[in-house]
Amino acid sequence: MTIRIYNTLTRKKEVFEPVEPGRVGMYVCGPTVYDSCHIGHARSVVVFDVIARHFRERGFEVTHTRNFTDIDDKIINRAREMGVDFAEVSNRYIDEFYRDMDALNVIRADFEPRATEHIDSIIEIIDILMGRNMAYRAGGDVFFHVESFPEYGRLSGRRLEDMEAGARVDVDARKKSPFDFALWKSSKPGEPSWESPWGPGRPGWHIECSAMSKKILGKTFDIHGGGMDLVFPHHENEKAQSEGAFGGTFAKYWVHNGFVNINSEKMSKSLGNFTVIRDVLETWHPDCVRLFLLSNHYRSPIDFSEKAMEEAAAGLDKIRRSLFRAEKQAAAPSGAGAGKGEKDGGRPWMDFAEAMDDDFNTARGIGVLFNTVRDMNREMDGAAGRMRGAVASKRNDILRMCGVLGILADPPAQYFADMKARVLKEKAVDSARVEEMIRARSLARKEKNWKEADRIRDELEKMGVAIEDRPDGTAWEISG
């Protein structure tokens, strides 16, 4: 088994060699909690949830850390608008984040630190940088001097001499360089603050991640992740201040996911296409959202649209129906956790694992999943007795794949039962009456009374019931 990861720092795929054999330390930048999470946040969280799942499936012990930025200008401004304390704002949106991500079947990170819980560690790092002449004081503020770190710009591929102060850089006459960034900000009247050697204030955005990752994972860890928009300046600045303070390597592998567009346009509040997760979940099952977000390679952009979600829903329906048939045929227990019966898995599982080992290629892995579903359906359509072993093996592999992708946590039988009950209620169809008619039709077919069998089918169709005759019996569902 060899896992290869595309490293933003080197701009190439590299063989994954952990700092400590058998263990993975992963730090992923989480949200600044001043508003509801949107579909772009969901992509990043789901991508790294799947990466952690895959490492664990491959036998690694994973320490997954995802932070909350719970003090920031945006949070302070939102608190002022709402007339509440900043902590009330951050707590509200952290709770909402958990509701959204729990609904999306995201496994909670092993550590989920908040910036305000690590003020002492933040001050300690700033003090080290000051002692090394890599940071300087300007009034009650402290700035990191980027020119003191010769490798600044290597992660993002930028050179200081080629850059101009602009949208992502705070222009401040007190700075030695326009690209110097705040490590500590002096507090303004009415703002939250903490005591420090430089006066009351609060941490800058970037320093919190250096402090929290060092505290939890050590000065060098395996994977630092986040959205593509964080490469510069956030991750560039993290790397500079961490390696400036502690020397050596900060993160071995830098992993960044691509953006989510809305109907081929960049998502933004100004365009009115800002899609929050809770709104998406009102229309689409969480599995649809996950499958959609994983349908492209994580480094590629993905376009959120009605068509894309419909395709994800249709694909999930195929998987569920196939598993439902297999469960009935084998009378096996259901649920994603049932897929580990064979230690090494069958050929489909090995193909899926190979795709995931190649820079977590979920797009290719999902292709393997659907090919396996197709092959299992063909085997179930054949001689059930002779194919039962092959069907069981593929079913196990499918469930194992779904476990890594984080979909189909609910047994298909339960899903269809719930869906049928809901639709029956909406359409006022008596399920007992339908079952009785299907038994009568089966008896008519057995007695070769085709006219009566056709009459019952026509009556069922008028009721909005579609039936399908299969080798293992007659299945029915509400049509339309």
PDB file of all heavy atoms in Angstrom, residues 439-470:
ATOM      1  N   ARG A 439     -50.611  -9.939  -4.194  1.00  0.00           N
ATOM      2  CA  ARG A 439     -50.734 -11.392  -3.967  1.00  0.00           C
ATOM      3  C   ARG A 439     -51.763 -11.990  -4.905  1.00  0.00           C
ATOM      4  O   ARG A 439     -51.553 -13.090  -5.451  1.00  0.00           O
ATOM      5  CB  ARG A 439     -51.113 -11.653  -2.500  1.00  0.00           C
ATOM      6  CG  ARG A 439     -49.982 -11.460  -1.515  1.00  0.00           C
ATOM      7  CD  ARG A 439     -50.324 -12.042  -0.148  1.00  0.00           C
ATOM      8  NE  ARG A 439     -51.406 -11.307   0.495  1.00  0.00           N
ATOM      9  CZ  ARG A 439     -51.241 -10.241   1.262  1.00  0.00           C
ATOM     10  NH1 ARG A 439     -50.021  -9.789   1.494  1.00  0.00           N
ATOM     11  NH2 ARG A 439     -52.286  -9.639   1.823  1.00  0.00           N
ATOM     12  N   ALA A 440     -52.897 -11.286  -5.112  1.00  0.00           N
ATOM     13  CA  ALA A 440     -53.939 -11.783  -6.026  1.00  0.00           C
ATOM     14  C   ALA A 440     -53.400 -11.858  -7.451  1.00  0.00           C
ATOM     15  O   ALA A 440     -53.698 -12.807  -8.194  1.00  0.00           O
ATOM     16  CB  ALA A 440     -55.158 -10.862  -5.966  1.00  0.00           C
ATOM     17  N   ARG A 441     -52.603 -10.872  -7.843  1.00  0.00           N
ATOM     18  CA  ARG A 441     -52.028 -10.877  -9.200  1.00  0.00           C
ATOM     19  C   ARG A 441     -51.039 -12.023  -9.354  1.00  0.00           C
ATOM     20  O   ARG A 441     -51.000 -12.705 -10.405  1.00  0.00           O
ATOM     21  CB  ARG A 441     -51.335  -9.545  -9.473  1.00  0.00           C
ATOM     22  CG  ARG A 441     -50.660  -9.477 -10.840  1.00  0.00           C
ATOM     23  CD  ARG A 441     -50.060  -8.110 -11.096  1.00  0.00           C
ATOM     24  NE  ARG A 441     -49.308  -8.107 -12.337  1.00  0.00           N
ATOM     25  CZ  ARG A 441     -48.033  -8.430 -12.446  1.00  0.00           C
ATOM     26  NH1 ARG A 441     -47.360  -8.830 -11.347  1.00  0.00           N
ATOM     27  NH2 ARG A 441     -47.426  -8.411 -13.613  1.00  0.00           N
ATOM     28  N   SER A 442     -50.229 -12.277  -8.317  1.00  0.00           N
ATOM     29  CA  SER A 442     -49.262 -13.376  -8.378  1.00  0.00           C
ATOM     30  C   SER A 442     -49.986 -14.718  -8.531  1.00  0.00           C
ATOM     31  O   SER A 442     -49.541 -15.602  -9.290  1.00  0.00           O
ATOM     32  CB  SER A 442     -48.389 -13.391  -7.111  1.00  0.00           C
ATOM     33  OG  SER A 442     -47.628 -12.206  -7.020  1.00  0.00           O
ATOM     34  N   LEU A 443     -51.101 -14.879  -7.805  1.00  0.00           N
ATOM     35  CA  LEU A 443     -51.886 -16.108  -7.931  1.00  0.00           C
ATOM     36  C   LEU A 443     -52.465 -16.236  -9.338  1.00  0.00           C
ATOM     37  O   LEU A 443     -52.438 -17.332  -9.932  1.00  0.00           O
ATOM     38  CB  LEU A 443     -53.013 -16.102  -6.891  1.00  0.00           C
ATOM     39  CG  LEU A 443     -53.934 -17.326  -6.892  1.00  0.00           C
ATOM     40  CD1 LEU A 443     -53.136 -18.597  -6.603  1.00  0.00           C
ATOM     41  CD2 LEU A 443     -55.054 -17.151  -5.858  1.00  0.00           C
ATOM     42  N   ALA A 444     -52.967 -15.139  -9.901  1.00  0.00           N
ATOM     43  CA  ALA A 444     -53.512 -15.158 -11.256  1.00  0.00           C
ATOM     44  C   ALA A 444     -52.434 -15.547 -12.262  1.00  0.00           C
ATOM     45  O   ALA A 444     -52.685 -16.322 -13.202  1.00  0.00           O
ATOM     46  CB  ALA A 444     -54.106 -13.789 -11.609  1.00  0.00           C
ATOM     47  N   ARG A 445     -51.226 -15.024 -12.088  1.00  0.00           N
ATOM     48  CA  ARG A 445     -50.119 -15.361 -13.002  1.00  0.00           C
ATOM     49  C   ARG A 445     -49.756 -16.835 -12.871  1.00  0.00           C
ATOM     50  O   ARG A 445     -49.485 -17.510 -13.865  1.00  0.00           O
ATOM     51  CB  ARG A 445     -48.902 -14.492 -12.690  1.00  0.00           C
ATOM     52  CG  ARG A 445     -49.010 -13.058 -13.245  1.00  0.00           C
ATOM     53  CD  ARG A 445     -48.000 -12.141 -12.578  1.00  0.00           C
ATOM     54  NE  ARG A 445     -46.640 -12.625 -12.679  1.00  0.00           N
ATOM     55  CZ  ARG A 445     -45.836 -12.406 -13.728  1.00  0.00           C
ATOM     56  NH1 ARG A 445     -46.280 -11.712 -14.769  1.00  0.00           N
ATOM     57  NH2 ARG A 445     -44.599 -12.866 -13.730  1.00  0.00           N
ATOM     58  N   LYS A 446     -49.780 -17.343 -11.625  1.00  0.00           N
ATOM     59  CA  LYS A 446     -49.455 -18.747 -11.407  1.00  0.00           C
ATOM     60  C   LYS A 446     -50.471 -19.649 -12.094  1.00  0.00           C
ATOM     61  O   LYS A 446     -50.123 -20.721 -12.623  1.00  0.00           O
ATOM     62  CB  LYS A 446     -49.425 -19.025  -9.897  1.00  0.00           C
ATOM     63  CG  LYS A 446     -48.963 -20.417  -9.532  1.00  0.00           C
ATOM     64  CD  LYS A 446     -48.882 -20.573  -8.024  1.00  0.00           C
ATOM     65  CE  LYS A 446     -48.409 -21.976  -7.648  1.00  0.00           C
ATOM     66  NZ  LYS A 446     -48.319 -22.129  -6.161  1.00  0.00           N
ATOM     67  N   GLU A 447     -51.739 -19.198 -12.102  1.00  0.00           N
ATOM     68  CA  GLU A 447     -52.803 -19.972 -12.748  1.00  0.00           C
ATOM     69  C   GLU A 447     -52.942 -19.627 -14.225  1.00  0.00           C
ATOM     70  O   GLU A 447     -53.893 -20.075 -14.879  1.00  0.00           O
ATOM     71  CB  GLU A 447     -54.122 -19.689 -12.013  1.00  0.00           C
ATOM     72  CG  GLU A 447     -54.127 -20.178 -10.574  1.00  0.00           C
ATOM     73  CD  GLU A 447     -55.388 -19.762  -9.827  1.00  0.00           C
ATOM     74  OE1 GLU A 447     -56.141 -18.904 -10.359  1.00  0.00           O
ATOM     75  OE2 GLU A 447     -55.612 -20.278  -8.707  1.00  0.00           O
ATOM     76  N   LYS A 448     -51.987 -18.801 -14.739  1.00  0.00           N
ATOM     77  CA  LYS A 448     -51.971 -18.387 -16.155  1.00  0.00           C
ATOM     78  C   LYS A 448     -53.231 -17.625 -16.555  1.00  0.00           C
ATOM     79  O   LYS A 448     -53.671 -17.655 -17.701  1.00  0.00           O
ATOM     80  CB  LYS A 448     -51.764 -19.592 -17.073  1.00  0.00           C
ATOM     81  CG  LYS A 448     -50.450 -20.341 -16.813  1.00  0.00           C
ATOM     82  CD  LYS A 448     -50.192 -21.379 -17.868  1.00  0.00           C
ATOM     83  CE  LYS A 448     -48.953 -22.219 -17.548  1.00  0.00           C
ATOM     84  NZ  LYS A 448     -47.741 -21.405 -17.395  1.00  0.00           N
ATOM     85  N   ASN A 449     -53.814 -16.940 -15.577  1.00  0.00           N
ATOM     86  CA  ASN A 449     -54.967 -16.090 -15.840  1.00  0.00           C
ATOM     87  C   ASN A 449     -54.437 -14.685 -16.145  1.00  0.00           C
ATOM     88  O   ASN A 449     -54.498 -13.765 -15.320  1.00  0.00           O
ATOM     89  CB  ASN A 449     -55.902 -16.077 -14.610  1.00  0.00           C
ATOM     90  CG  ASN A 449     -57.197 -15.331 -14.890  1.00  0.00           C
ATOM     91  OD1 ASN A 449     -57.344 -14.658 -15.901  1.00  0.00           O
ATOM     92  ND2 ASN A 449     -58.151 -15.450 -13.965  1.00  0.00           N
ATOM     93  N   TRP A 450     -53.902 -14.550 -17.370  1.00  0.00           N
ATOM     94  CA  TRP A 450     -53.204 -13.316 -17.736  1.00  0.00           C
ATOM     95  C   TRP A 450     -54.145 -12.104 -17.777  1.00  0.00           C
ATOM     96  O   TRP A 450     -53.732 -10.985 -17.469  1.00  0.00           O
ATOM     97  CB  TRP A 450     -52.506 -13.487 -19.077  1.00  0.00           C
ATOM     98  CG  TRP A 450     -51.642 -14.723 -19.138  1.00  0.00           C
ATOM     99  CD1 TRP A 450     -51.769 -15.772 -19.977  1.00  0.00           C
ATOM    100  CD2 TRP A 450     -50.524 -15.017 -18.292  1.00  0.00           C
ATOM    101  NE1 TRP A 450     -50.812 -16.723 -19.727  1.00  0.00           N
ATOM    102  CE2 TRP A 450     -50.019 -16.282 -18.688  1.00  0.00           C
ATOM    103  CE3 TRP A 450     -49.904 -14.351 -17.224  1.00  0.00           C
ATOM    104  CZ2 TRP A 450     -48.927 -16.876 -18.074  1.00  0.00           C
ATOM    105  CZ3 TRP A 450     -48.811 -14.951 -16.631  1.00  0.00           C
ATOM    106  CH2 TRP A 450     -48.337 -16.194 -17.047  1.00  0.00           C
ATOM    107  N   LYS A 451     -55.408 -12.346 -18.142  1.00  0.00           N
ATOM    108  CA  LYS A 451     -56.364 -11.245 -18.213  1.00  0.00           C
ATOM    109  C   LYS A 451     -56.568 -10.633 -16.832  1.00  0.00           C
ATOM    110  O   LYS A 451     -56.575  -9.399 -16.678  1.00  0.00           O
ATOM    111  CB  LYS A 451     -57.696 -11.746 -18.780  1.00  0.00           C
ATOM    112  CG  LYS A 451     -58.727 -10.645 -18.983  1.00  0.00           C
ATOM    113  CD  LYS A 451     -59.984 -11.188 -19.629  1.00  0.00           C
ATOM    114  CE  LYS A 451     -61.018 -10.075 -19.833  1.00  0.00           C
ATOM    115  NZ  LYS A 451     -62.267 -10.604 -20.474  1.00  0.00           N
ATOM    116  N   GLU A 452     -56.722 -11.478 -15.810  1.00  0.00           N
ATOM    117  CA  GLU A 452     -56.920 -10.986 -14.452  1.00  0.00           C
ATOM    118  C   GLU A 452     -55.646 -10.308 -13.927  1.00  0.00           C
ATOM    119  O   GLU A 452     -55.697  -9.266 -13.263  1.00  0.00           O
ATOM    120  CB  GLU A 452     -57.308 -12.139 -13.523  1.00  0.00           C
ATOM    121  CG  GLU A 452     -57.455 -11.775 -12.045  1.00  0.00           C
ATOM    122  CD  GLU A 452     -58.560 -10.756 -11.772  1.00  0.00           C
ATOM    123  OE1 GLU A 452     -59.332 -10.421 -12.700  1.00  0.00           O
ATOM    124  OE2 GLU A 452     -58.633 -10.284 -10.615  1.00  0.00           O
ATOM    125  N   ALA A 453     -54.502 -10.887 -14.265  1.00  0.00           N
ATOM    126  CA  ALA A 453     -53.238 -10.302 -13.827  1.00  0.00           C
ATOM    127  C   ALA A 453     -53.059  -8.900 -14.414  1.00  0.00           C
ATOM    128  O   ALA A 453     -52.637  -7.969 -13.718  1.00  0.00           O
ATOM    129  CB  ALA A 453     -52.070 -11.201 -14.228  1.00  0.00           C
ATOM    130  N   ASP A 454     -53.398  -8.758 -15.721  1.00  0.00           N
ATOM    131  CA  ASP A 454     -53.280  -7.442 -16.365  1.00  0.00           C
ATOM    132  C   ASP A 454     -54.271  -6.443 -15.771  1.00  0.00           C
ATOM    133  O   ASP A 454     -53.980  -5.255 -15.628  1.00  0.00           O
ATOM    134  CB  ASP A 454     -53.501  -7.566 -17.871  1.00  0.00           C
ATOM    135  CG  ASP A 454     -52.348  -8.283 -18.565  1.00  0.00           C
ATOM    136  OD1 ASP A 454     -51.264  -8.393 -17.943  1.00  0.00           O
ATOM    137  OD2 ASP A 454     -52.523  -8.727 -19.719  1.00  0.00           O
ATOM    138  N   ARG A 455     -55.469  -6.937 -15.432  1.00  0.00           N
ATOM    139  CA  ARG A 455     -56.469  -6.040 -14.856  1.00  0.00           C
ATOM    140  C   ARG A 455     -55.983  -5.470 -13.523  1.00  0.00           C
ATOM    141  O   ARG A 455     -56.137  -4.261 -13.249  1.00  0.00           O
ATOM    142  CB  ARG A 455     -57.781  -6.816 -14.638  1.00  0.00           C
ATOM    143  CG  ARG A 455     -58.944  -5.908 -14.145  1.00  0.00           C
ATOM    144  CD  ARG A 455     -60.092  -6.737 -13.602  1.00  0.00           C
ATOM    145  NE  ARG A 455     -59.734  -7.424 -12.370  1.00  0.00           N
ATOM    146  CZ  ARG A 455     -59.634  -6.825 -11.183  1.00  0.00           C
ATOM    147  NH1 ARG A 455     -59.843  -5.516 -11.056  1.00  0.00           N
ATOM    148  NH2 ARG A 455     -59.305  -7.526 -10.105  1.00  0.00           N
ATOM    149  N   ILE A 456     -55.397  -6.343 -12.709  1.00  0.00           N
ATOM    150  CA  ILE A 456     -54.887  -5.882 -11.407  1.00  0.00           C
ATOM    151  C   ILE A 456     -53.742  -4.894 -11.597  1.00  0.00           C
ATOM    152  O   ILE A 456     -53.669  -3.876 -10.904  1.00  0.00           O
ATOM    153  CB  ILE A 456     -54.448  -7.087 -10.555  1.00  0.00           C
ATOM    154  CG1 ILE A 456     -55.660  -7.967 -10.224  1.00  0.00           C
ATOM    155  CG2 ILE A 456     -53.758  -6.613  -9.268  1.00  0.00           C
ATOM    156  CD1 ILE A 456     -55.311  -9.263  -9.518  1.00  0.00           C
ATOM    157  N   ARG A 457     -52.857  -5.174 -12.560  1.00  0.00           N
ATOM    158  CA  ARG A 457     -51.760  -4.240 -12.832  1.00  0.00           C
ATOM    159  C   ARG A 457     -52.307  -2.871 -13.233  1.00  0.00           C
ATOM    160  O   ARG A 457     -51.835  -1.831 -12.741  1.00  0.00           O
ATOM    161  CB  ARG A 457     -50.848  -4.780 -13.945  1.00  0.00           C
ATOM    162  CG  ARG A 457     -49.732  -3.797 -14.347  1.00  0.00           C
ATOM    163  CD  ARG A 457     -49.002  -4.256 -15.597  1.00  0.00           C
ATOM    164  NE  ARG A 457     -48.047  -5.284 -15.297  1.00  0.00           N
ATOM    165  CZ  ARG A 457     -46.782  -5.073 -14.929  1.00  0.00           C
ATOM    166  NH1 ARG A 457     -46.357  -3.835 -14.783  1.00  0.00           N
ATOM    167  NH2 ARG A 457     -45.961  -6.067 -14.697  1.00  0.00           N
ATOM    168  N   ASP A 458     -53.317  -2.861 -14.126  1.00  0.00           N
ATOM    169  CA  ASP A 458     -53.902  -1.596 -14.575  1.00  0.00           C
ATOM    170  C   ASP A 458     -54.529  -0.841 -13.403  1.00  0.00           C
ATOM    171  O   ASP A 458     -54.417   0.386 -13.311  1.00  0.00           O
ATOM    172  CB  ASP A 458     -54.969  -1.860 -15.643  1.00  0.00           C
ATOM    173  CG  ASP A 458     -54.362  -2.355 -16.938  1.00  0.00           C
ATOM    174  OD1 ASP A 458     -53.135  -2.189 -17.119  1.00  0.00           O
ATOM    175  OD2 ASP A 458     -55.112  -2.931 -17.761  1.00  0.00           O
ATOM    176  N   GLU A 459     -55.184  -1.587 -12.497  1.00  0.00           N
ATOM    177  CA  GLU A 459     -55.808  -0.942 -11.344  1.00  0.00           C
ATOM    178  C   GLU A 459     -54.754  -0.331 -10.422  1.00  0.00           C
ATOM    179  O   GLU A 459     -54.925   0.773  -9.889  1.00  0.00           O
ATOM    180  CB  GLU A 459     -56.655  -1.953 -10.574  1.00  0.00           C
ATOM    181  CG  GLU A 459     -57.485  -1.315  -9.462  1.00  0.00           C
ATOM    182  CD  GLU A 459     -58.394  -2.302  -8.761  1.00  0.00           C
ATOM    183  OE1 GLU A 459     -58.623  -3.408  -9.317  1.00  0.00           O
ATOM    184  OE2 GLU A 459     -58.870  -1.982  -7.657  1.00  0.00           O
ATOM    185  N   LEU A 460     -53.635  -1.059 -10.256  1.00  0.00           N
ATOM    186  CA  LEU A 460     -52.541  -0.539  -9.436  1.00  0.00           C
ATOM    187  C   LEU A 460     -51.944   0.733 -10.057  1.00  0.00           C
ATOM    188  O   LEU A 460     -51.631   1.691  -9.344  1.00  0.00           O
ATOM    189  CB  LEU A 460     -51.451  -1.598  -9.261  1.00  0.00           C
ATOM    190  CG  LEU A 460     -51.791  -2.767  -8.317  1.00  0.00           C
ATOM    191  CD1 LEU A 460     -50.784  -3.902  -8.479  1.00  0.00           C
ATOM    192  CD2 LEU A 460     -51.810  -2.286  -6.859  1.00  0.00           C
ATOM    193  N   GLU A 461     -51.796   0.735 -11.366  1.00  0.00           N
ATOM    194  CA  GLU A 461     -51.255   1.908 -12.037  1.00  0.00           C
ATOM    195  C   GLU A 461     -52.150   3.124 -11.841  1.00  0.00           C
ATOM    196  O   GLU A 461     -51.663   4.253 -11.659  1.00  0.00           O
ATOM    197  CB  GLU A 461     -51.070   1.621 -13.525  1.00  0.00           C
ATOM    198  CG  GLU A 461     -49.887   0.689 -13.823  1.00  0.00           C
ATOM    199  CD  GLU A 461     -49.735   0.404 -15.302  1.00  0.00           C
ATOM    200  OE1 GLU A 461     -50.617   0.834 -16.089  1.00  0.00           O
ATOM    201  OE2 GLU A 461     -48.732  -0.250 -15.684  1.00  0.00           O
ATOM    202  N   LYS A 462     -53.478   2.893 -11.872  1.00  0.00           N
ATOM    203  CA  LYS A 462     -54.411   4.002 -11.637  1.00  0.00           C
ATOM    204  C   LYS A 462     -54.278   4.555 -10.225  1.00  0.00           C
ATOM    205  O   LYS A 462     -54.551   5.727  -9.970  1.00  0.00           O
ATOM    206  CB  LYS A 462     -55.854   3.532 -11.883  1.00  0.00           C
ATOM    207  CG  LYS A 462     -56.174   3.268 -13.346  1.00  0.00           C
ATOM    208  CD  LYS A 462     -57.592   2.733 -13.499  1.00  0.00           C
ATOM    209  CE  LYS A 462     -57.894   2.402 -14.960  1.00  0.00           C
ATOM    210  NZ  LYS A 462     -59.258   1.816 -15.120  1.00  0.00           N
ATOM    211  N   MET A 463     -53.861   3.692  -9.306  1.00  0.00           N
ATOM    212  CA  MET A 463     -53.651   4.118  -7.922  1.00  0.00           C
ATOM    213  C   MET A 463     -52.303   4.821  -7.742  1.00  0.00           C
ATOM    214  O   MET A 463     -52.006   5.334  -6.659  1.00  0.00           O
ATOM    215  CB  MET A 463     -53.709   2.896  -6.978  1.00  0.00           C
ATOM    216  CG  MET A 463     -55.079   2.230  -6.899  1.00  0.00           C
ATOM    217  SD  MET A 463     -54.990   0.602  -6.076  1.00  0.00           S
ATOM    218  CE  MET A 463     -54.315   1.044  -4.481  1.00  0.00           C
ATOM    219  N   GLY A 464     -51.480   4.824  -8.819  1.00  0.00           N
ATOM    220  CA  GLY A 464     -50.157   5.435  -8.726  1.00  0.00           C
ATOM    221  C   GLY A 464     -49.100   4.493  -8.212  1.00  0.00           C
ATOM    222  O   GLY A 464     -48.063   4.924  -7.707  1.00  0.00           O
ATOM    223  N   VAL A 465     -49.349   3.165  -8.357  1.00  0.00           N
ATOM    224  CA  VAL A 465     -48.409   2.156  -7.882  1.00  0.00           C
ATOM    225  C   VAL A 465     -47.746   1.483  -9.080  1.00  0.00           C
ATOM    226  O   VAL A 465     -48.439   0.961  -9.974  1.00  0.00           O
ATOM    227  CB  VAL A 465     -49.116   1.099  -7.012  1.00  0.00           C
ATOM    228  CG1 VAL A 465     -48.144  -0.003  -6.616  1.00  0.00           C
ATOM    229  CG2 VAL A 465     -49.727   1.754  -5.782  1.00  0.00           C
ATOM    230  N   ALA A 466     -46.397   1.512  -9.105  1.00  0.00           N
ATOM    231  CA  ALA A 466     -45.641   0.827 -10.161  1.00  0.00           C
ATOM    232  C   ALA A 466     -45.108  -0.479  -9.595  1.00  0.00           C
ATOM    233  O   ALA A 466     -44.629  -0.524  -8.460  1.00  0.00           O
ATOM    234  CB  ALA A 466     -44.499   1.707 -10.646  1.00  0.00           C
ATOM    235  N   ILE A 467     -45.198  -1.553 -10.376  1.00  0.00           N
ATOM    236  CA  ILE A 467     -44.709  -2.845  -9.908  1.00  0.00           C
ATOM    237  C   ILE A 467     -43.627  -3.357 -10.851  1.00  0.00           C
ATOM    238  O   ILE A 467     -43.571  -2.998 -12.030  1.00  0.00           O
ATOM    239  CB  ILE A 467     -45.848  -3.874  -9.794  1.00  0.00           C
ATOM    240  CG1 ILE A 467     -46.506  -4.126 -11.162  1.00  0.00           C
ATOM    241  CG2 ILE A 467     -46.871  -3.436  -8.762  1.00  0.00           C
ATOM    242  CD1 ILE A 467     -47.556  -5.222 -11.117  1.00  0.00           C
ATOM    243  N   GLU A 468     -42.749  -4.198 -10.303  1.00  0.00           N
ATOM    244  CA  GLU A 468     -41.680  -4.798 -11.096  1.00  0.00           C
ATOM    245  C   GLU A 468     -41.540  -6.249 -10.688  1.00  0.00           C
ATOM    246  O   GLU A 468     -41.332  -6.567  -9.504  1.00  0.00           O
ATOM    247  CB  GLU A 468     -40.355  -4.050 -10.866  1.00  0.00           C
ATOM    248  CG  GLU A 468     -39.202  -4.633 -11.672  1.00  0.00           C
ATOM    249  CD  GLU A 468     -37.884  -3.937 -11.377  1.00  0.00           C
ATOM    250  OE1 GLU A 468     -37.874  -2.960 -10.596  1.00  0.00           O
ATOM    251  OE2 GLU A 468     -36.854  -4.387 -11.932  1.00  0.00           O
ATOM    252  N   ASP A 469     -41.675  -7.148 -11.660  1.00  0.00           N
ATOM    253  CA  ASP A 469     -41.533  -8.576 -11.400  1.00  0.00           C
ATOM    254  C   ASP A 469     -40.060  -8.956 -11.467  1.00  0.00           C
ATOM    255  O   ASP A 469     -39.387  -8.719 -12.473  1.00  0.00           O
ATOM    256  CB  ASP A 469     -42.336  -9.378 -12.426  1.00  0.00           C
ATOM    257  CG  ASP A 469     -43.831  -9.125 -12.303  1.00  0.00           C
ATOM    258  OD1 ASP A 469     -44.332  -9.118 -11.168  1.00  0.00           O
ATOM    259  OD2 ASP A 469     -44.489  -8.909 -13.352  1.00  0.00           O
ATOM    260  N   ARG A 470     -39.560  -9.534 -10.385  1.00  0.00           N
ATOM    261  CA  ARG A 470     -38.152  -9.923 -10.299  1.00  0.00           C
ATOM    262  C   ARG A 470     -38.061 -11.398  -9.938  1.00  0.00           C
ATOM    263  O   ARG A 470     -39.041 -11.994  -9.474  1.00  0.00           O
ATOM    264  CB  ARG A 470     -37.442  -9.095  -9.215  1.00  0.00           C
ATOM    265  CG  ARG A 470     -37.414  -7.592  -9.485  1.00  0.00           C
ATOM    266  CD  ARG A 470     -36.878  -6.868  -8.276  1.00  0.00           C
ATOM    267  NE  ARG A 470     -36.762  -5.439  -8.503  1.00  0.00           N
ATOM    268  CZ  ARG A 470     -36.511  -4.553  -7.550  1.00  0.00           C
ATOM    269  NH1 ARG A 470     -36.381  -4.960  -6.296  1.00  0.00           N
ATOM    270  NH2 ARG A 470     -36.419  -3.264  -7.839  1.00  0.00           N
TER     271      ARG A 470
END
